[in-house]
Amino acid sequence: AQSVTQLDSQVPVFEEAPVELRCNYSSSVSVYLFWYVQYPNQGLQLLLKYLSGSTLVKGINGFEAEFNKSQTSFHLRKPSVHISDTAEYFCAVISYGGSQGNLIFGKGTKLSVKP
Amino acid sequence: NAGVTQTPKFQVLKTGQSMTLQCAQDMNHEYMSWYRQDPGMGLRLIHYSVGAGITDQGEVPNGYNVSRSTTEDFPLRLLSAAPSQTSVYFCASSYRDSNQPQHFGDGTRLSIL
């Protein structure tokens, strides 16, 4: 079975500062990893995904994430945040060949960007 | 493409009432699911379906029913609403393969009085 831990429930940051949202997972098999973003009063949208290949994955809105197999981490980063990045961010993991019903979400990190 | 469409967007019910939350997708996705989102709890899977005529229980299925008569539609039924079912409900769909991302609707905000 897999599990996902998002280490920070809330991250406040000032506009134009860099940010890192941390995600660790546990699994006995190979996994695919996803980051989703949820803006207020909306559903989740895919930000980026790691399937295979390069461990640095670029997503929408200037976000990127790095897969680290030895540390079982998939941290999300942005070098300079905007007010519009204020949202909740979810990390998710699923095993290779697993059922979509076994997609596991972390509990989310609320990013609050202040002017 | 409309993507995943949920109706209604808001609903208030009294304890004991029943209702159906609607979900439709136009992407020909095999997989559809229902989640509930509560503060500090993340997303919890209620029921899911890997194709028409096939449904299965998720983490928190009690008090909810589903059916999948077509590829496009996956309604969620609350049989006898309870205050503990006050939540935001999200429908999601995807292709069946595990490397495919799920696509979410905008949610139904449900209050049970």
Side-chain angles (χ1 to χ4, degrees):
Chain A
Q2 291 83 43
S3 67
V4 178
T5 302
Q6 292 185 241
L7 296 157
D8 305 293
S9 60
Q10 298 188 56
V11 173
V13 65
F14 286 106
E15 194 174 18
E16 297 184 7
V19 71
E20 179 180 81
L21 306 184
R22 297 180 293 167
C23 173
N24 285 94
Y25 70 94
S26 68
S27 177
S28 57
V29 298
S30 296
V31 297
Y32 298 122
L33 293 151
F34 304 86
W35 274 101
Y36 288 85
V37 59
Q38 183 181 31
Y39 298 107
N41 299 315
Q42 293 186 25
L44 279 68
Q45 303 172 32
L46 181 69
L47 204 53
L48 50 79
K49 59 186 177 184
Y50 174 77
L51 302 183
S52 65
S54 173
T55 57
L56 184 63
V57 179
K58 294 191 184 299
I60 61 172
N61 300 340
F63 283 92
E64 62 182 31
E66 185 152 21
F67 171 61
N68 188 318
K69 189 173 181 179
S70 62
Q71 307 228 345
T72 60
S73 67
F74 190 52
H75 300 334
L76 182 70
R77 302 186 183 101
K78 187 170 183 178
S80 175
V81 295
H82 302 289
I83 299 287
S84 58
D85 292 322
T86 294
E88 189 159 17
Y89 293 79
F90 293 91
C91 182
V93 63
I94 188 171
S95 60
Y96 279 11
S99 165
Q100 288 279 1
N102 292 328
L103 179 69
I104 304 298
F105 285 91
K107 294 196 184 309
T109 297
K110 289 185 178 177
L111 176 65
S112 175
V113 182
K114 304 176 187 304
Chain B
N1 277 354
V4 179
T5 302
Q6 291 184 235
T7 56
K9 294 190 186 307
F10 303 93
Q11 184 70 48
V12 179
L13 291 179
K14 295 181 179 178
T15 297
Q17 288 185 314
S18 63
M19 82 160 292
T20 299
L21 309 186
Q22 301 291 344
C23 176
Q25 53 93 7
D26 61 359
M27 296 172 281
N28 204 30
H29 286 161
E30 303 98 338
Y31 177 87
M32 295 186 74
S33 59
W34 280 100
Y35 295 90
R36 60 178 289 172
Q37 184 178 29
D38 303 289
M41 305 287 284
L43 290 159
R44 292 184 290 169
L45 184 64
I46 304 171
H47 285 285
Y48 65 96
S49 168
V50 298
I54 305 169
T55 63
D56 209 342
Q57 295 182 351
E59 180 185 356
V60 289
N62 292 341
Y64 307 94
N65 265 0
V66 292
S67 60
R68 183 99 179 266
S69 56
T70 67
T71 299
E72 295 78 19
D73 300 298
F74 191 46
L76 178 72
R77 297 181 188 84
L78 278 69
L79 308 172
S80 177
S84 61
Q85 294 177 305
T86 293
S87 187
V88 182
Y89 291 85
F90 288 98
C91 180
S93 73
S94 72
Y95 293 112
R96 191 178 303 171
D97 293 340
S98 56
N99 61 1
Q100 297 296 314
Q102 294 188 10
H103 298 254
F104 286 78
D106 283 337
T108 295
R109 283 148 185 81
L110 184 61
S111 292
I112 316 293
L113 305 178

PDB file of all heavy atoms in Angstrom, chain A residues 33-54:
ATOM      1  N   LEU A  33       3.693   9.915  -9.800  1.00  0.00           N
ATOM      2  CA  LEU A  33       3.428  10.985  -8.846  1.00  0.00           C
ATOM      3  C   LEU A  33       2.808  12.182  -9.544  1.00  0.00           C
ATOM      4  O   LEU A  33       3.150  12.500 -10.689  1.00  0.00           O
ATOM      5  CB  LEU A  33       4.733  11.402  -8.170  1.00  0.00           C
ATOM      6  CG  LEU A  33       5.348  10.326  -7.272  1.00  0.00           C
ATOM      7  CD1 LEU A  33       6.847  10.451  -7.202  1.00  0.00           C
ATOM      8  CD2 LEU A  33       4.738  10.399  -5.881  1.00  0.00           C
ATOM      9  N   PHE A  34       1.903  12.838  -8.852  1.00  0.00           N
ATOM     10  CA  PHE A  34       1.172  13.981  -9.398  1.00  0.00           C
ATOM     11  C   PHE A  34       1.122  15.101  -8.359  1.00  0.00           C
ATOM     12  O   PHE A  34       1.082  14.855  -7.148  1.00  0.00           O
ATOM     13  CB  PHE A  34      -0.268  13.585  -9.738  1.00  0.00           C
ATOM     14  CG  PHE A  34      -0.402  12.425 -10.685  1.00  0.00           C
ATOM     15  CD1 PHE A  34      -0.395  11.118 -10.217  1.00  0.00           C
ATOM     16  CD2 PHE A  34      -0.563  12.638 -12.043  1.00  0.00           C
ATOM     17  CE1 PHE A  34      -0.523  10.047 -11.082  1.00  0.00           C
ATOM     18  CE2 PHE A  34      -0.696  11.569 -12.922  1.00  0.00           C
ATOM     19  CZ  PHE A  34      -0.675  10.278 -12.444  1.00  0.00           C
ATOM     20  N   TRP A  35       1.083  16.329  -8.862  1.00  0.00           N
ATOM     21  CA  TRP A  35       0.708  17.490  -8.062  1.00  0.00           C
ATOM     22  C   TRP A  35      -0.528  18.124  -8.708  1.00  0.00           C
ATOM     23  O   TRP A  35      -0.566  18.343  -9.921  1.00  0.00           O
ATOM     24  CB  TRP A  35       1.820  18.532  -8.009  1.00  0.00           C
ATOM     25  CG  TRP A  35       2.831  18.309  -6.943  1.00  0.00           C
ATOM     26  CD1 TRP A  35       4.084  17.774  -7.082  1.00  0.00           C
ATOM     27  CD2 TRP A  35       2.721  18.645  -5.555  1.00  0.00           C
ATOM     28  NE1 TRP A  35       4.744  17.756  -5.885  1.00  0.00           N
ATOM     29  CE2 TRP A  35       3.927  18.284  -4.921  1.00  0.00           C
ATOM     30  CE3 TRP A  35       1.724  19.240  -4.778  1.00  0.00           C
ATOM     31  CZ2 TRP A  35       4.152  18.478  -3.555  1.00  0.00           C
ATOM     32  CZ3 TRP A  35       1.944  19.429  -3.435  1.00  0.00           C
ATOM     33  CH2 TRP A  35       3.149  19.052  -2.828  1.00  0.00           C
ATOM     34  N   TYR A  36      -1.517  18.398  -7.852  1.00  0.00           N
ATOM     35  CA  TYR A  36      -2.727  19.094  -8.282  1.00  0.00           C
ATOM     36  C   TYR A  36      -2.826  20.405  -7.518  1.00  0.00           C
ATOM     37  O   TYR A  36      -2.361  20.526  -6.384  1.00  0.00           O
ATOM     38  CB  TYR A  36      -3.971  18.261  -7.965  1.00  0.00           C
ATOM     39  CG  TYR A  36      -4.166  17.044  -8.830  1.00  0.00           C
ATOM     40  CD1 TYR A  36      -3.540  15.839  -8.541  1.00  0.00           C
ATOM     41  CD2 TYR A  36      -5.003  17.090  -9.940  1.00  0.00           C
ATOM     42  CE1 TYR A  36      -3.735  14.719  -9.325  1.00  0.00           C
ATOM     43  CE2 TYR A  36      -5.211  15.977 -10.732  1.00  0.00           C
ATOM     44  CZ  TYR A  36      -4.567  14.795 -10.418  1.00  0.00           C
ATOM     45  OH  TYR A  36      -4.760  13.683 -11.202  1.00  0.00           O
ATOM     46  N   VAL A  37      -3.508  21.390  -8.127  1.00  0.00           N
ATOM     47  CA  VAL A  37      -3.782  22.663  -7.469  1.00  0.00           C
ATOM     48  C   VAL A  37      -5.294  22.880  -7.411  1.00  0.00           C
ATOM     49  O   VAL A  37      -6.013  22.522  -8.349  1.00  0.00           O
ATOM     50  CB  VAL A  37      -3.086  23.837  -8.196  1.00  0.00           C
ATOM     51  CG1 VAL A  37      -3.532  23.955  -9.643  1.00  0.00           C
ATOM     52  CG2 VAL A  37      -3.330  25.152  -7.460  1.00  0.00           C
ATOM     53  N   GLN A  38      -5.744  23.416  -6.294  1.00  0.00           N
ATOM     54  CA  GLN A  38      -7.164  23.732  -6.123  1.00  0.00           C
ATOM     55  C   GLN A  38      -7.298  25.197  -5.737  1.00  0.00           C
ATOM     56  O   GLN A  38      -6.926  25.590  -4.620  1.00  0.00           O
ATOM     57  CB  GLN A  38      -7.795  22.844  -5.055  1.00  0.00           C
ATOM     58  CG  GLN A  38      -9.286  23.073  -4.888  1.00  0.00           C
ATOM     59  CD  GLN A  38      -9.905  22.208  -3.805  1.00  0.00           C
ATOM     60  OE1 GLN A  38      -9.261  21.871  -2.815  1.00  0.00           O
ATOM     61  NE2 GLN A  38     -11.163  21.846  -3.979  1.00  0.00           N
ATOM     62  N   TYR A  39      -7.817  26.007  -6.654  1.00  0.00           N
ATOM     63  CA  TYR A  39      -8.106  27.409  -6.350  1.00  0.00           C
ATOM     64  C   TYR A  39      -9.417  27.476  -5.576  1.00  0.00           C
ATOM     65  O   TYR A  39     -10.244  26.556  -5.656  1.00  0.00           O
ATOM     66  CB  TYR A  39      -8.156  28.225  -7.624  1.00  0.00           C
ATOM     67  CG  TYR A  39      -6.832  28.231  -8.363  1.00  0.00           C
ATOM     68  CD1 TYR A  39      -6.669  27.500  -9.537  1.00  0.00           C
ATOM     69  CD2 TYR A  39      -5.736  28.946  -7.871  1.00  0.00           C
ATOM     70  CE1 TYR A  39      -5.459  27.473 -10.202  1.00  0.00           C
ATOM     71  CE2 TYR A  39      -4.519  28.919  -8.526  1.00  0.00           C
ATOM     72  CZ  TYR A  39      -4.393  28.177  -9.683  1.00  0.00           C
ATOM     73  OH  TYR A  39      -3.193  28.150 -10.342  1.00  0.00           O
ATOM     74  N   PRO A  40      -9.638  28.560  -4.830  1.00  0.00           N
ATOM     75  CA  PRO A  40     -10.854  28.653  -4.001  1.00  0.00           C
ATOM     76  C   PRO A  40     -12.118  28.394  -4.803  1.00  0.00           C
ATOM     77  O   PRO A  40     -12.294  28.923  -5.903  1.00  0.00           O
ATOM     78  CB  PRO A  40     -10.782  30.098  -3.486  1.00  0.00           C
ATOM     79  CG  PRO A  40      -9.322  30.403  -3.450  1.00  0.00           C
ATOM     80  CD  PRO A  40      -8.727  29.692  -4.624  1.00  0.00           C
ATOM     81  N   ASN A  41     -12.956  27.550  -4.237  1.00  0.00           N
ATOM     82  CA  ASN A  41     -14.263  27.223  -4.802  1.00  0.00           C
ATOM     83  C   ASN A  41     -14.183  26.578  -6.180  1.00  0.00           C
ATOM     84  O   ASN A  41     -15.093  26.732  -7.008  1.00  0.00           O
ATOM     85  CB  ASN A  41     -15.152  28.472  -4.874  1.00  0.00           C
ATOM     86  CG  ASN A  41     -15.399  29.048  -3.495  1.00  0.00           C
ATOM     87  OD1 ASN A  41     -15.696  28.311  -2.556  1.00  0.00           O
ATOM     88  ND2 ASN A  41     -15.240  30.352  -3.361  1.00  0.00           N
ATOM     89  N   GLN A  42     -13.091  25.879  -6.433  1.00  0.00           N
ATOM     90  CA  GLN A  42     -12.949  25.158  -7.694  1.00  0.00           C
ATOM     91  C   GLN A  42     -12.526  23.717  -7.427  1.00  0.00           C
ATOM     92  O   GLN A  42     -12.184  23.349  -6.311  1.00  0.00           O
ATOM     93  CB  GLN A  42     -11.906  25.837  -8.590  1.00  0.00           C
ATOM     94  CG  GLN A  42     -12.316  27.215  -9.083  1.00  0.00           C
ATOM     95  CD  GLN A  42     -11.316  27.769 -10.082  1.00  0.00           C
ATOM     96  OE1 GLN A  42     -10.595  27.030 -10.758  1.00  0.00           O
ATOM     97  NE2 GLN A  42     -11.270  29.085 -10.186  1.00  0.00           N
ATOM     98  N   GLY A  43     -12.559  22.914  -8.493  1.00  0.00           N
ATOM     99  CA  GLY A  43     -12.060  21.555  -8.395  1.00  0.00           C
ATOM    100  C   GLY A  43     -10.549  21.521  -8.552  1.00  0.00           C
ATOM    101  O   GLY A  43      -9.899  22.555  -8.721  1.00  0.00           O
ATOM    102  N   LEU A  44      -9.974  20.313  -8.458  1.00  0.00           N
ATOM    103  CA  LEU A  44      -8.534  20.160  -8.594  1.00  0.00           C
ATOM    104  C   LEU A  44      -8.141  20.176 -10.070  1.00  0.00           C
ATOM    105  O   LEU A  44      -8.853  19.642 -10.919  1.00  0.00           O
ATOM    106  CB  LEU A  44      -8.076  18.826  -7.983  1.00  0.00           C
ATOM    107  CG  LEU A  44      -7.894  18.791  -6.462  1.00  0.00           C
ATOM    108  CD1 LEU A  44      -9.226  18.915  -5.736  1.00  0.00           C
ATOM    109  CD2 LEU A  44      -7.183  17.507  -6.063  1.00  0.00           C
ATOM    110  N   GLN A  45      -6.981  20.786 -10.339  1.00  0.00           N
ATOM    111  CA  GLN A  45      -6.416  20.803 -11.683  1.00  0.00           C
ATOM    112  C   GLN A  45      -5.016  20.210 -11.627  1.00  0.00           C
ATOM    113  O   GLN A  45      -4.277  20.456 -10.671  1.00  0.00           O
ATOM    114  CB  GLN A  45      -6.275  22.233 -12.198  1.00  0.00           C
ATOM    115  CG  GLN A  45      -7.531  23.055 -12.232  1.00  0.00           C
ATOM    116  CD  GLN A  45      -7.230  24.499 -12.576  1.00  0.00           C
ATOM    117  OE1 GLN A  45      -6.294  24.791 -13.331  1.00  0.00           O
ATOM    118  NE2 GLN A  45      -8.004  25.423 -12.053  1.00  0.00           N
ATOM    119  N   LEU A  46      -4.660  19.472 -12.660  1.00  0.00           N
ATOM    120  CA  LEU A  46      -3.317  18.898 -12.713  1.00  0.00           C
ATOM    121  C   LEU A  46      -2.278  19.998 -12.909  1.00  0.00           C
ATOM    122  O   LEU A  46      -2.385  20.820 -13.811  1.00  0.00           O
ATOM    123  CB  LEU A  46      -3.225  17.893 -13.857  1.00  0.00           C
ATOM    124  CG  LEU A  46      -1.881  17.207 -14.014  1.00  0.00           C
ATOM    125  CD1 LEU A  46      -1.632  16.264 -12.830  1.00  0.00           C
ATOM    126  CD2 LEU A  46      -1.795  16.451 -15.335  1.00  0.00           C
ATOM    127  N   LEU A  47      -1.254  19.979 -12.044  1.00  0.00           N
ATOM    128  CA  LEU A  47      -0.152  20.938 -12.146  1.00  0.00           C
ATOM    129  C   LEU A  47       1.017  20.316 -12.910  1.00  0.00           C
ATOM    130  O   LEU A  47       1.605  20.915 -13.795  1.00  0.00           O
ATOM    131  CB  LEU A  47       0.287  21.308 -10.727  1.00  0.00           C
ATOM    132  CG  LEU A  47       0.980  22.621 -10.453  1.00  0.00           C
ATOM    133  CD1 LEU A  47       0.211  23.795 -10.992  1.00  0.00           C
ATOM    134  CD2 LEU A  47       1.201  22.781  -8.952  1.00  0.00           C
ATOM    135  N   LEU A  48       1.367  19.106 -12.536  1.00  0.00           N
ATOM    136  CA  LEU A  48       2.434  18.365 -13.207  1.00  0.00           C
ATOM    137  C   LEU A  48       2.395  16.912 -12.763  1.00  0.00           C
ATOM    138  O   LEU A  48       1.698  16.567 -11.810  1.00  0.00           O
ATOM    139  CB  LEU A  48       3.813  18.981 -12.927  1.00  0.00           C
ATOM    140  CG  LEU A  48       4.182  19.279 -11.477  1.00  0.00           C
ATOM    141  CD1 LEU A  48       4.624  18.041 -10.719  1.00  0.00           C
ATOM    142  CD2 LEU A  48       5.299  20.338 -11.418  1.00  0.00           C
ATOM    143  N   LYS A  49       3.158  16.081 -13.493  1.00  0.00           N
ATOM    144  CA  LYS A  49       3.200  14.665 -13.163  1.00  0.00           C
ATOM    145  C   LYS A  49       4.577  14.108 -13.456  1.00  0.00           C
ATOM    146  O   LYS A  49       5.284  14.587 -14.362  1.00  0.00           O
ATOM    147  CB  LYS A  49       2.151  13.888 -13.966  1.00  0.00           C
ATOM    148  CG  LYS A  49       2.317  14.017 -15.469  1.00  0.00           C
ATOM    149  CD  LYS A  49       1.170  13.360 -16.222  1.00  0.00           C
ATOM    150  CE  LYS A  49       1.333  13.562 -17.723  1.00  0.00           C
ATOM    151  NZ  LYS A  49       0.191  13.020 -18.496  1.00  0.00           N
ATOM    152  N   TYR A  50       4.971  13.097 -12.680  1.00  0.00           N
ATOM    153  CA  TYR A  50       6.186  12.345 -12.952  1.00  0.00           C
ATOM    154  C   TYR A  50       5.787  10.921 -13.303  1.00  0.00           C
ATOM    155  O   TYR A  50       5.167  10.218 -12.492  1.00  0.00           O
ATOM    156  CB  TYR A  50       7.132  12.330 -11.746  1.00  0.00           C
ATOM    157  CG  TYR A  50       8.314  11.430 -12.002  1.00  0.00           C
ATOM    158  CD1 TYR A  50       9.362  11.850 -12.815  1.00  0.00           C
ATOM    159  CD2 TYR A  50       8.359  10.131 -11.499  1.00  0.00           C
ATOM    160  CE1 TYR A  50      10.418  11.005 -13.104  1.00  0.00           C
ATOM    161  CE2 TYR A  50       9.412   9.289 -11.776  1.00  0.00           C
ATOM    162  CZ  TYR A  50      10.428   9.727 -12.587  1.00  0.00           C
ATOM    163  OH  TYR A  50      11.480   8.886 -12.886  1.00  0.00           O
ATOM    164  N   LEU A  51       6.180  10.522 -14.507  1.00  0.00           N
ATOM    165  CA  LEU A  51       5.889   9.156 -14.939  1.00  0.00           C
ATOM    166  C   LEU A  51       7.180   8.352 -15.034  1.00  0.00           C
ATOM    167  O   LEU A  51       7.273   7.219 -14.558  1.00  0.00           O
ATOM    168  CB  LEU A  51       5.161   9.159 -16.276  1.00  0.00           C
ATOM    169  CG  LEU A  51       3.831   9.936 -16.309  1.00  0.00           C
ATOM    170  CD1 LEU A  51       3.173   9.807 -17.675  1.00  0.00           C
ATOM    171  CD2 LEU A  51       2.884   9.464 -15.218  1.00  0.00           C
ATOM    172  N   SER A  52       8.206   8.922 -15.702  1.00  0.00           N
ATOM    173  CA  SER A  52       9.494   8.260 -15.842  1.00  0.00           C
ATOM    174  C   SER A  52      10.467   9.273 -16.443  1.00  0.00           C
ATOM    175  O   SER A  52      10.075  10.397 -16.772  1.00  0.00           O
ATOM    176  CB  SER A  52       9.390   7.025 -16.737  1.00  0.00           C
ATOM    177  OG  SER A  52       9.046   7.405 -18.055  1.00  0.00           O
ATOM    178  N   GLY A  53      11.738   8.869 -16.588  1.00  0.00           N
ATOM    179  CA  GLY A  53      12.696   9.719 -17.256  1.00  0.00           C
ATOM    180  C   GLY A  53      13.289  10.772 -16.340  1.00  0.00           C
ATOM    181  O   GLY A  53      13.566  10.504 -15.170  1.00  0.00           O
ATOM    182  N   SER A  54      13.471  11.977 -16.859  1.00  0.00           N
ATOM    183  CA  SER A  54      14.098  13.049 -16.108  1.00  0.00           C
ATOM    184  C   SER A  54      13.404  13.262 -14.774  1.00  0.00           C
ATOM    185  O   SER A  54      12.166  13.318 -14.703  1.00  0.00           O
ATOM    186  CB  SER A  54      14.066  14.346 -16.907  1.00  0.00           C
ATOM    187  OG  SER A  54      14.529  15.427 -16.114  1.00  0.00           O
TER     188      SER A  54
END
